[in-house]
């Protein structure tokens, strides 16, 4: 094999690209989008402004922001044929599977998105379309699961209110937008918006490097995010906390299970490939969890179990030695649940938040004209051997 192959399973020490989008420092627990800290953006910005910042590199002027928001409003509706695909899914279809299928179907509906040499206006339209349609797809996947009528997008509402209304409203009743829910949702979406070269973003980049369309690349990212070691962890955390509660709330028993090499059980929502300190997003989400539950008057016993697990793990040698801290997924499910979002929609919420990051990274990879991703391997199979006919085996 020509040249030296460096083996790095899981790419723990491999840089796959250069990027100007997101900076994170795992030791110091720093996360910035285009130079702005997530603390400032979560406090002062809104999700569509952060989407614009990630994708176009600068905070938008008022005029640019208004155009971006209005262009998105125009495209929030789903083509009747996409609605028909959605209605073809059984009610037990997992919303992440529905979402990745519908997003990929956008390539069929808008074949011009396949053109790798599309004009920048064409790429802008592709970006606006998926930013606008993903919330509708997500909310309708949920309604399809319930067997409830779809609630159409309402262009008089802002992004978060429009989404929560499509998720929770029913035709027979008026729907009151809840500012507490929408403020928490806005914060959560901003905190999930990008995270440099994580598993699903690397998937979007490598699929896009083959000049697959934006929609096919995003659909691949959704599938990677679904894994319980990645975005699927927020659903796995709540299921774990529920199991601990059902099992009497004995957190020590589960910490011991997590430390037992012979037990495949892991403390979901703990540990991170890059953060060897507190995940800065977990800090903000933990604070928001307390505030949201108090404002909504929700007393969720799994929050106390989560806090008990965190306190015990932070002083446990096994976790301290391996620098395992709560990550973004540890507390987010508690807020989603308080907002009335069902567990199997938690990773869909992660995908909604991560969408602008995926788009920004796909766009940067294309603009930098990066080569197709094609790693090598160290071969460990058989040497050459002669074929043996069937009647002699
Ligand atoms: C996300 O990359 C990103 O940026 C992802 C993300 C994003 O925004 O895109 O931040 C979102 O995916 C957050 C992570 C969500 N996943 C989970 O919460 C699942 C539980 N966590 C892990 O499985 C694990 O910590 C990972 C997957 C997050 C990181 O895995 P690594 O970096 O490959 O670390 P590892 O599996 O090699 O573990 C190192 C050691 C091992 O012990 P030893 O073999 O050295 O004795 O730590 C142990 C592991 O057994 N370990 C855990 C553990 N996580 C690591 N032990 C118990 N419970 C855990 N959660």
């Amino acid at each position: 094999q020509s040249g030296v192959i460096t083996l790095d399973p899981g790419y723990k020490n491999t840089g796959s690209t250069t990027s100007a989008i997101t900076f994170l420092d795992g030791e110091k627990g720093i996360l910035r989008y285009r130079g702005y800290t997530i603390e400032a953006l979560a406090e002062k910005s809104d999700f569509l402004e952060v989407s614009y910042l990630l994708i176009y590199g600068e905070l938008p002027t008022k005029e640019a922001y208004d155009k971006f928001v209005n262009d998105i409003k125009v495209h929030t509706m789903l083509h009747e044929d996409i609605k028909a695909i959605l209605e073809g899914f059984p009610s037990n279809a997992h919303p992440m599977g529905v979402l990745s299928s519908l997003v990929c179907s956008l390539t069929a509906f808008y074949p011009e998105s396949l053109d790798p040499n599309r004009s920048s206006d064409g790429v802008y339209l592709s970006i606006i379309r998926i930013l606008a349609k993903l919330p509708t797809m997500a909310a309708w996947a949920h309604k399809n699961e319930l067997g409830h009528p779809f609630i159409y997008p309402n262009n008089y509402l802002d992004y978060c209110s429009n989404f929560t209304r499509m998720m929770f409203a029913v035709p027979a009743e008026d729907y009151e937008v809840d500012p507490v829910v929408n403020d928490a949702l806005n914060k959560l979406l901003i905190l999930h918006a990008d995270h440099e070269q994580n598993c699903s973003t690397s998937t979007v980049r490598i699929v896009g490097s083959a000049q697959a369309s934006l929609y096919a690349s995003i659909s691949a990212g959704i599938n990677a995010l679904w894994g319980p070691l990645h975005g699927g962890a927020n659903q796995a955390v709540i299921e774990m906390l529920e199991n601990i509660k059902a099992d009497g709330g004995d957190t020590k028993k589960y910490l011991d299970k997590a430390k037992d090499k012979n037990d495949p059980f892991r403390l979901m929502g703990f540990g991170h490939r890059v953060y060897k300190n507190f995940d800065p997003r977990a800090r903000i989400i933990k604070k928001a969890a307390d505030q949201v539950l108090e404002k909504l008057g929700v007393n969720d016993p799994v929050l106390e179990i989560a806090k008990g697990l965190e306190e015990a793990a932070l002083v446990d040698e096994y976790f301290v030695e391996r620098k395992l801290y709560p990550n973004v997924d540890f507390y987010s499910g508690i807020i989603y649940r308080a907002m009335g979002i069902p567990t199997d929609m938690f990773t869909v919420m992660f995908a909604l938040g991560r969408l602008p990051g995926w788009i920004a990274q796909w766009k940067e990879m294309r603009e930098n004209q990066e080569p197709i991703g094609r790693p090598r391997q160290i071969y460990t199979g058989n040497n050459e051997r002669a074929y043996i006919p069937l009647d002699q085996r």
Side-chain angles (χ1 to χ4, degrees), residues 12 24 192 194-195 197-201 225 228-231 233 237 258-259 261 265-276 279 281 318-319 322 324 327-329 350 354:
K12 294 195 174 189
L24 64 90
H192 284 81
D194 193 51
H195 212 238
Q197 303 313 313
N198 59 84
C199 179
S200 55
T201 299
L225 186 73
L229 292 189
H230 190 15
V237 166
K259 299 183 318 192
K261 280 292 154 234
F265 174 79
R266 284 197 156 192
L267 207 53
M268 300 314 275
F270 256 77
H272 197 277
R273 171 63 58 75
V274 181
Y275 288 124
K276 299 308 171 192
D279 181 334
R281 300 167 296 179
Y318 173 94
F319 289 88
R322 292 168 179 78
L324 303 176
N327 59 48
V328 66
D329 292 308
F350 196 142
R354 187 52 51 90

